[in-house]
Amino acid sequence: MHVARKLAEEIKEGKYQPGDLLPSENAMVQMYGIAKATVRSAIAELRGMGLIEVRQGKGATVLDRNRSRATYRVDRSVYRSGKTWQLPDLTEAEAPAVSRTTLTGDMGDLLRQRDQDAFSVDRTFRDPQTAARVAHRTIIPLATAAEVPALAQAPDAPLAEVYAHLAEGRTLTITEHITARLPYPDERASLALTDPGPLMVTYRIISDADTDCPLICEELRAPAASTRVTFHLAPTRRPAAKKTPPKSA
């Protein structure tokens, strides 16, 4: 957007210093000859860039670009000792909610069970220091629950227990897929989002290593600008390349 780019350049060039107020909506309408809706879109874009903050009744204030945003650090590492699995403790904002769902979209494709039924376990985690919230969803296909009855009986068991049940008689592999998209209106409300920026969305697929069959999916949704996701990576051996037999003369 032209107005947002112009204001961003002026902020970076120092015309507007940290703590300065940007011109009001009415002033921008007169300055640039644009509609109020266009001004509001420009302000939203500047907020998404992390250049300003908007306070009710005060207006848009330029932020210090050297000041780091409060970041919610989410540790997604997984460790195993014998039959015991360990995952970092995260503070739950509310009790998990279990429902039935049909697998569609990315989730259905990654689990290779599009249009099949599954348990959905929704949790919301909260950072005690910043009050930031992230949404977590565990998807357990009914086919997996049939193979692992403990998951059918208690799909909302702690994740460490879910991993332990899946690992009985299996070797597990974990693959992480990371993408981003704009939040839906209900996600804005549930995560108390104020900035218009994108959500970071991760899909963690836990599979049977022997059959390469996906078992469950964990989905994490968090504001991309203020969440840092970390996890431990164990190096794996690259499969040997298949040799092509020489062509006969």
Side-chain angles (χ1 to χ4, degrees):
M1 181 183 297
H2 173 70
V3 175
R5 287 198 301 269
K6 180 175 177 58
L7 288 169
E9 289 173 2
E10 291 177 342
I11 290 172
K12 292 175 182 178
E13 290 170 358
K15 179 177 179 178
Y16 298 104
Q17 295 292 322
D20 288 351
L21 285 172
L22 291 183
S24 67
E25 285 187 5
N26 290 334
M28 288 193 196
V29 168
Q30 296 297 322
M31 290 168 60
Y32 301 110
I34 55 178
K36 276 193 175 183
T38 306
V39 172
R40 290 168 184 162
S41 296
I43 293 299
E45 189 169 343
L46 292 172
R47 288 178 68 186
M49 295 178 190
L51 296 177
I52 64 170
E53 66 179 359
V54 179
R55 295 182 181 178
Q56 187 69 28
K58 185 176 181 181
T61 305
V62 177
L63 294 174
D64 183 352
R65 287 184 291 144
N66 294 319
R67 186 187 75 183
S68 60
R69 291 188 176 189
T71 301
Y72 183 11
R73 292 171 175 82
V74 181
D75 188 353
R76 298 276 288 141
S77 302
V78 178
Y79 300 97
R80 182 179 182 180
S81 177
K83 294 185 177 181
T84 302
W85 291 76
Q86 292 184 328
L87 284 74
D89 289 329
L90 297 174
T91 303
E92 291 193 0
E94 52 200 43
V98 181
S99 60
R100 289 278 290 269
T101 188
T102 300
L103 297 173
T104 59
D106 290 338
M107 197 86 72
D109 292 339
L110 291 171
L111 285 168
R112 303 177 201 163
Q113 294 206 38
R114 181 177 276 271
D115 298 327
Q116 300 301 306
D117 291 336
F119 290 113
S120 175
V121 184
D122 288 280
R123 293 178 168 90
T124 302
F125 297 123
R126 179 180 59 82
D127 182 4
Q129 296 182 343
T130 66
R133 297 160 71 93
V134 300
H136 180 279
R137 176 175 294 157
T138 307
I139 296 294
I140 305 173
L142 294 191
T144 299
E147 293 184 18
V148 187
L151 297 184
Q153 296 170 8
D156 57 347
L159 288 173
E161 293 183 17
V162 172
Y163 277 65
H165 291 315
L166 290 172
E168 292 180 3
R170 299 179 184 83
T171 300
L172 302 182
T173 60
I174 301 174
T175 306
E176 199 90 6
H177 305 262
I178 303 175
T179 186
R181 60 170 172 78
L182 292 177
Y184 302 127
D186 62 324
E187 292 171 325
R188 286 192 176 282
S190 63
L191 296 178
L193 300 178
T194 57
D195 284 337
L199 284 181
M200 171 177 55
V201 183
T202 72
Y203 298 102
R204 173 170 290 182
I205 302 297
I206 294 90
S207 303
D208 185 326
D210 295 327
T211 63
D212 191 34
C213 177
L215 299 170
I216 70 169
C217 176
E218 291 182 55
E219 179 194 50
L220 185 77
R221 287 164 285 140
S226 58
T227 308
R228 180 179 301 166
V229 174
T230 62
F231 43 84
H232 172 74
L233 289 178
T236 57
R237 185 183 298 275
R238 176 180 291 181
K242 294 182 179 179
K243 294 183 179 181
T244 304
K247 295 182 179 179
S248 57

